[in-house]
């Protein structure tokens, strides 16, 4: 066991196993799912009320690709398919021609499952306040940042 003040990196094997388990969690919703769908979900989960334009910047996807991936995540889904119901598209009150994206109750549950899954992969010394991270303001940078603001002190068995 490491000293109380030491912080360790996840081993490569633990990191890959956690990533595999995360992908399997999404595959449990739909076996054949493009990788962009979980990416869009994770960004919406981190940035409450994010716009389509900001999603385009953060993902590097075109407007049509963002729209297509968002439709998979909403309740309506793409033509001919039911959606996953993880996010909801609302009219942005600041610009009625724009949309803002938020997690649904099921989306927040998915974040809880992902957090629990990652917590099992590592031992977390400090509990992570998921709700506070989801409500944190969006960073000024447009660069994609996975789990922005998440600072976990971990050690590996």
């Amino acid at each position: 066991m490491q000293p109380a003040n030491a912080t360790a990196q996840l081993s490569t094997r633990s990191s890959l196993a956690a990533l595999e388990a995360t992908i399997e969690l999404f595959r449990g919703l739909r076996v054949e799912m493009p990788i962009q769908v979980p990416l869009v979900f994770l960004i919406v989960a981190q940035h409450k009320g994010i716009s389509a334009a900001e999603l385009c910047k953060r993902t590097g996807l075109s407007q049509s690709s963002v729209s297509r991936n968002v439709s998979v995540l909403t309740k309506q889904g793409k033509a001919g398919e039911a959606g996953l119901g993880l996010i909801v598209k609302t009219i942005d009150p600041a610009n009625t021609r724009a949309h803002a994206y938020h997690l649904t109750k099921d989306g927040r549950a998915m974040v809880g499952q992902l957090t629990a899954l990652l917590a099992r992969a590592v031992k977390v010394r400090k509990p992570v306040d998921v709700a506070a991270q989801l409500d944190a303001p969006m960073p000024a940078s447009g660069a994609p940042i996975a789990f922005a603001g998440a600072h976990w002190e971990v050690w590996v068995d």
Side-chain angles (χ1 to χ4, degrees):
M1 188 169 203
Q2 295 183 353
N5 62 354
T7 301
Q9 301 266 332
L10 280 174
S11 71
T12 300
R13 185 172 179 183
S14 295
S15 298
L16 294 175
L19 182 57
E20 178 186 1
T22 301
I23 291 169
E24 288 299 328
L25 186 59
F26 280 100
R27 286 188 71 219
L29 298 173
R30 187 166 289 160
V31 174
E32 292 188 16
M33 181 184 301
I35 194 70
Q36 295 91 338
V37 174
L39 174 64
V40 169
F41 173 79
L42 292 171
I43 292 172
V44 170
Q46 293 177 79
H47 306 290
K48 183 178 179 181
I50 192 169
S51 69
E54 187 64 24
L55 270 172
C56 289
K57 280 187 216 173
R58 289 182 175 275
T59 61
L61 298 172
S62 67
Q63 178 67 38
S64 61
S65 291
V66 165
S67 179
R68 185 173 48 255
N69 287 291
V70 162
S71 71
V72 171
L73 291 163
T74 62
K75 192 172 187 175
Q76 295 80 23
K78 295 191 307 186
E81 281 187 11
L84 299 174
L86 300 177
I87 66 173
V88 64
K89 178 170 61 170
T90 61
I91 301 294
D92 186 346
N95 178 1
T96 56
R97 292 177 49 202
H99 294 102
Y101 302 102
H102 303 271
L103 294 178
T104 62
K105 182 180 175 183
D106 288 344
R108 289 188 299 276
M110 179 68 147
V111 168
Q113 289 177 323
L114 287 166
T115 302
L117 184 145
L118 293 172
R120 283 193 304 272
V122 298
K123 292 183 180 176
V124 180
R125 280 196 200 143
K126 295 179 184 175
V128 178
D129 185 354
V130 174
Q133 288 183 16
L134 295 178
D135 291 333
M138 197 175 348
S141 164
I145 302 171
F147 295 102
H151 300 289
W152 294 4
E153 292 185 14
V154 299
W155 71 92
V156 179
D157 286 336

